[in-house]
Amino acid sequence: MGKKILLEHVDVPGIQTLEVYRKMGGYQAVEKALKSMNPDEVVEEVKKSGLRGRGGAGFPTGMKWSFLDKKSDKPRYLVCNADESEPGTFKDRYLMQRIPHMLIEGMICSSFALGARTSYIYVRGEMMYVIRILEKAIAEAYAAGLLGKNILGSDYSLDLYVQPGGGAYICGEETALLESLEGKRGNPRNKPPFPAVWGLYGCPTVVNNVETIADVPWIINHGGDAYAAIGIGKSTGTKLISACGNIKKPGVYEIELGVPVEEFIYSDEYCGGITEGRKLKAVVAGGSSVPILPADLILTTANNEKRLMTYESLSDGGFVSGTMLGSGGFIVFDDRQCIVRNLWNFSRFYHHESCGQCSPCREGTGWMEKVLHRIEHGHGKMSDIDLLVDVAKKIEGKTICPLGEAAAWPVASAIRHFRAEFEEHVRNPDSCLKKHLHREAALAH
Amino acid sequence: MFFSESRIKEIEEIKKRYPEGRHKSALLPVLHLAQADHSWLSVDLMDEVARLLKLEPIEVYEVASFYTMFHLKPVGKYVIEVCRTGPCCNVGAEELIHHMEDKLGIRIGETTSDGLFTLKTVECLAACGTGPVLQIGPEYHYHENLTPEKFDQLISELRAKA
Ligand SMILES: Cc1cc2nc3c(=O)[nH]c(=O)nc-3n(C[C@H](O)[C@H](O)[C@H](O)COP(=O)(O)O)c2cc1C
Ligand code: SF4
Ligand code: FES
């Protein structure tokens, strides 16, 4: 069993309540930070921990915090990104639902470190019941003097609010999220300026993922060095992996970074292997936006080394033979799954979710969806395959926000690794493994 | 009257979550309340929200139309939203969606003639490990690990309740 930082007490009855959470050692980090540390010392521990953003990009959290414009005399904000909508990702919902106080404790500690006096948790609107759980936990924290004026008798005060989204994947992108929190359409902003300088209401702002913030109390309690001692190299600490698809035990697992991918898929401690004795065909390791890898390349790198669940090992080989840890949304495909149909589904998703501001993204995602639709439905041409690669290439790097890349990478990687399956669809449309599902209207717009 | 007195008070409380002059931030939470009370957002209702939040009506329309959760046309008593994204499709969502359409005798986007059910598809609900999954408004309860049989049972229960 690996080290557990976030989920150690997840099965304790009543852990949702403040009383039980405190009994299990909860809110000690708030006490420690507010009574015996200054904000810069907290930032320093987070820097030492090597913690990297758990929302997808893996940017070092301590460094992000130190970019916050301290010279500005405007208020500063911490906004928690709980928009979780990347297909395959369901770890933040699990954490908030099961141990809401862990996120709230993290928000208090992190807001203190950043000098924020008002902080928001932006939760995707579909998770109404999670919002109710969080609001209840926040009310408990206020009543116990852990939020509000002069927390635990210190001179630090903080107000914490939950904000619902309205159903839009793009609002997970941090600047779109800020626009949405301001009561507008979720159109990503041009960067720079970055949120650290120009964020919520034009004030210095840090946006962090739920899991990132939930890691902070442990780092305060045990020190950044202790956190950095877990994991391998620059992949320190633990990571929540939400595993789904054709595996025996889908669910949310906390792993020490560094577990071999093979062990993660096949051992009974984690996914328990492929369902119904089928064969592993492919894996999307970090949410739908990262490149898909076929079975051999997800288990071992191109250099024949065992692939590990770390940022570095998963991206070994770049986009030619590697992928990314991303958000930890681990989607497993068995040999009954059709790669073309799956890619069409993802392309449809990105087209649907494009905010429409930049033409390469707006038009390109629609074009890819259309071409994939015709290949999947038996009307494709051989030249369509290269056309897809070309369109994907023309989106990359030419858009305001990374949704463009998120739509392009899956296309490029699926064709790189599974070209034969696309060609077979063109040559022999009846070869599709999911032929029986070709009923048009259900998935159309 | 679009809102009860207690709703108006609730809206005033929500406005206090944001700094002075930033009450526009209350728009999404208030639209959710408006929809909970009226099941969909008519132009008159959106105009009332604009008035309450001291916004131009266009500021409300452009936001309501951007987010998929807001219904700009009348919907049935129960809005059934089933996930259609990749991971759920790997574990049977497409077969389920076909079954749902057949069971209710409507296609995605339509409402049953008794006004009870509206069928919609949504994107990944962050429940991919327990797919196929659907949620039912107005409460947005999740129903996970769905099978055609479980769906039929759910429909019977809702019919009995209505
Ligand atoms: C299209 C798009 C969707 C995103 N969705 C999410 C999301 O749902 N949750 C999240 O935490 N980060 C998401 N991100 C990443 C955020 O922009 C941001 O990097 C992250 O919240 C920063 O937090 P972290 O440093 O703690 O990871 C998304 C990015 C893009 C481009
Ligand atoms: S890349 Fe796509 S989603 Fe991002 S800003 Fe441009 S159009 Fe919008
Ligand atoms: S794909 Fe259906 S919940 Fe994620």
Side-chain angles (χ1 to χ4, degrees):
Chain A
M1 287 289 271
K3 181 92 199 149
K4 298 276 182 284
I5 285 178
L6 299 169
L7 301 186
E8 191 181 353
H9 302 305
V10 74
D11 291 321
V12 175
I15 193 71
Q16 275 195 342
T17 63
L18 179 70
E19 194 194 337
V20 177
Y21 182 71
R22 276 194 124 162
K23 227 178 257 164
M24 302 313 295
Y27 287 104
Q28 280 173 8
V30 171
E31 212 144 312
K32 181 171 177 185
L34 266 55
K35 291 191 173 157
S36 67
M37 297 171 83
N38 66 40
D40 289 342
E41 284 166 350
V42 178
V43 176
E44 203 45 46
E45 289 306 317
V46 172
K47 268 193 193 158
K48 270 199 267 180
S49 74
L51 174 65
R52 293 163 68 172
R54 302 301 194 218
F59 192 81
T61 306
M63 198 190 294
K64 186 189 236 180
W65 286 12
S66 60
F67 290 155
L68 194 69
D69 186 358
K70 296 244 166 70
K71 289 190 297 281
S72 157
D73 51 9
K74 294 185 203 165
R76 295 174 215 148
Y77 292 102
L78 172 64
V79 178
C80 173
N81 188 341
D83 191 57
E84 191 168 62
S85 352
E86 170 91 354
T89 315
F90 48 98
K91 63 185 179 80
D92 297 338
R93 181 175 76 96
Y94 181 82
L95 194 70
M96 293 187 285
Q97 188 179 326
R98 301 293 287 265
I99 323 183
H101 282 287
M102 189 173 268
L103 175 60
I104 294 164
E105 182 176 13
M107 286 299 285
I108 301 169
C109 297
S110 309
S111 301
F112 171 72
L114 296 166
R117 296 298 172 122
T118 308
S119 297
Y120 299 93
I121 305 174
Y122 181 99
V123 184
R124 71 181 281 197
E126 287 93 336
M127 300 180 189
M128 278 298 173
Y129 73 99
V130 174
I131 291 177
R132 287 190 282 267
I133 290 172
L134 286 173
E135 282 180 338
K136 196 164 152 210
I138 287 174
E140 284 183 307
Y142 268 103
L146 291 159
L147 279 169
K149 286 226 154 42
N150 303 105
I151 297 173
L152 299 177
S154 70
D155 57 8
Y156 179 65
S157 305
L158 173 70
D159 283 312
L160 178 61
Y161 301 105
V162 180
Q163 177 84 357
Y169 167 70
I170 193 57
C171 290
E173 195 281 332
E174 57 185 12
T175 60
L177 185 150
L178 295 174
E179 288 286 298
S180 179
L181 182 46
E182 292 183 3
K184 302 181 210 152
R185 296 166 75 94
N187 288 333
R189 299 173 181 168
N190 257 314
K191 291 187 263 192
F194 290 93
V197 176
W198 185 270
L200 184 63
Y201 309 129
C203 300
T205 302
V206 165
V207 181
N208 270 134
N209 173 258
V210 171
E211 185 187 348
T212 313
I213 289 173
D215 277 323
V216 172
W218 196 95
I219 292 170
I220 290 175
N221 285 330
H222 300 85
D225 290 334
Y227 191 89
I230 306 166
I232 294 181
K234 285 190 172 158
S235 294
T236 64
T238 67
K239 174 90 187 79
L240 295 181
I241 306 291
S242 59
C244 67
N246 309 118
I247 45 175
K248 289 200 180 123
K249 299 194 318 171
V252 178
Y253 296 99
E254 180 170 15
I255 62 161
E256 268 187 45
L257 285 167
V259 172
V261 174
E262 190 170 358
E263 182 184 332
F264 184 70
I265 297 177
Y266 290 102
S267 88
D268 284 334
E269 195 182 337
Y270 304 112
C271 304
I274 310 302
T275 33
E276 296 165 38
R278 309 293 305 198
K279 265 178 52 198
L280 174 67
K281 180 172 183 176
V283 170
V284 172
S288 59
S289 306
V290 310
I292 189 171
L293 288 183
D296 54 341
L297 278 178
I298 188 70
L299 298 176
T300 50
T301 66
N303 300 328
N304 232 0
E305 283 166 24
K306 252 184 189 316
R307 190 131 8 220
L308 309 178
M309 300 284 279
T310 62
Y311 292 96
E312 293 74 24
S313 179
L314 282 168
S315 59
D316 186 279
F319 279 3
V320 177
S321 61
T323 180
M324 286 161 80
L325 180 62
S327 62
F330 198 88
I331 314 167
V332 178
F333 300 80
D334 71 16
D335 52 2
R336 282 168 304 185
Q337 304 307 328
C338 170
I339 298 296
V340 180
R341 189 169 188 84
N342 181 73
L343 188 64
W344 163 54
N345 187 299
F346 280 160
S347 287
R348 180 196 50 70
F349 172 83
Y350 288 108
H351 180 215
H352 183 258
E353 299 300 328
S354 165
C355 84
Q357 278 192 112
C358 344
S359 27
C361 171
R362 183 186 61 237
E363 304 302 324
T365 53
W367 197 0
M368 292 192 302
E369 182 197 346
K370 248 186 239 149
V371 174
L372 278 160
H373 182 272
R374 77 176 173 239
I375 298 178
E376 167 65 4
H377 291 80
H379 316 296
K381 294 182 293 235
M382 228 25 120
S383 58
D384 281 344
I385 303 173
D386 285 324
L387 174 64
L388 282 170
V389 175
D390 188 50
V391 175
K393 213 178 277 161
K394 286 184 174 132
I395 299 174
E396 267 187 79
K398 295 180 186 65
T399 57
I400 293 175
C401 92
L403 186 135
E405 276 94 32
W409 292 342
V411 172
S413 61
I415 294 177
R416 183 177 311 119
H417 299 300
F418 295 95
R419 183 179 270 269
E421 201 168 320
F422 286 83
E423 289 173 354
E424 190 55 25
H425 264 75
V426 173
R427 259 196 305 269
N428 175 16
D430 288 337
S431 71
C432 179
L433 294 163
K434 297 242 156 167
K435 182 83 184 141
H436 64 289
L437 288 172
H438 288 181
R439 177 161 142 186
E440 296 277 331
L443 289 189
H445 279 273
Chain B
M1 283 298 286
F2 282 99
F3 294 105
S4 65
E5 228 164 83
S6 65
R7 270 292 194 237
I8 302 270
K9 269 204 201 110
E10 203 179 336
I11 291 170
E12 287 310 311
E13 281 306 306
I14 290 174
K15 283 202 230 165
K16 291 186 196 149
R17 297 175 187 172
Y18 317 101
E20 199 61 38
R22 301 293 184 177
H23 53 270
K24 183 167 177 176
S25 284
L27 184 50
L28 266 82
V30 171
L31 285 175
H32 279 299
L33 292 181
Q35 184 159 294
D37 288 351
H38 298 274
S39 87
W40 68 289
L41 303 176
S42 64
V43 170
D44 288 347
L45 179 55
M46 289 192 278
D47 289 348
E48 176 66 9
V49 169
R51 205 184 58 77
L52 279 173
L53 295 180
K54 300 193 175 63
L55 300 172
E56 292 301 323
I58 181 69
E59 292 179 276
V60 179
Y61 308 155
E62 67 172 9
V63 164
S65 61
F66 183 84
Y67 298 94
T68 55
M69 285 182 77
F70 299 122
H71 310 307
L72 302 180
K73 288 192 192 119
V75 289
K77 182 169 162 101
Y78 301 107
V79 182
I80 302 180
E81 297 176 303
V82 56
C83 171
R84 64 173 177 181
T85 314
C88 273
C89 291
N90 281 6
V91 292
E94 286 171 276
E95 290 89 338
L96 178 75
I97 293 170
H98 292 163
H99 172 81
M100 291 167 68
E101 289 187 322
D102 294 344
K103 168 85 185 169
L104 293 177
I106 52 173
R107 307 312 291 274
I108 294 296
E110 296 175 351
T111 301
T112 51
S113 54
D114 58 5
L116 220 44
F117 301 105
T118 297
L119 214 46
K120 289 179 94 177
T121 50
V122 287
E123 303 298 350
C124 179
L125 288 171
C128 332
T130 45
V133 53
L134 61 76
Q135 62 175 10
I136 301 191
E139 265 88 39
Y140 301 103
H141 285 306
Y142 278 35
H143 295 263
E144 297 162 70
N145 289 311
L146 278 169
T147 57
E149 296 72 40
K150 277 196 198 169
F151 178 75
D152 292 354
Q153 197 191 333
L154 183 62
I155 293 299
S156 307
E157 284 165 18
L158 290 174
R159 280 218 172 101
K161 215 167 65 173

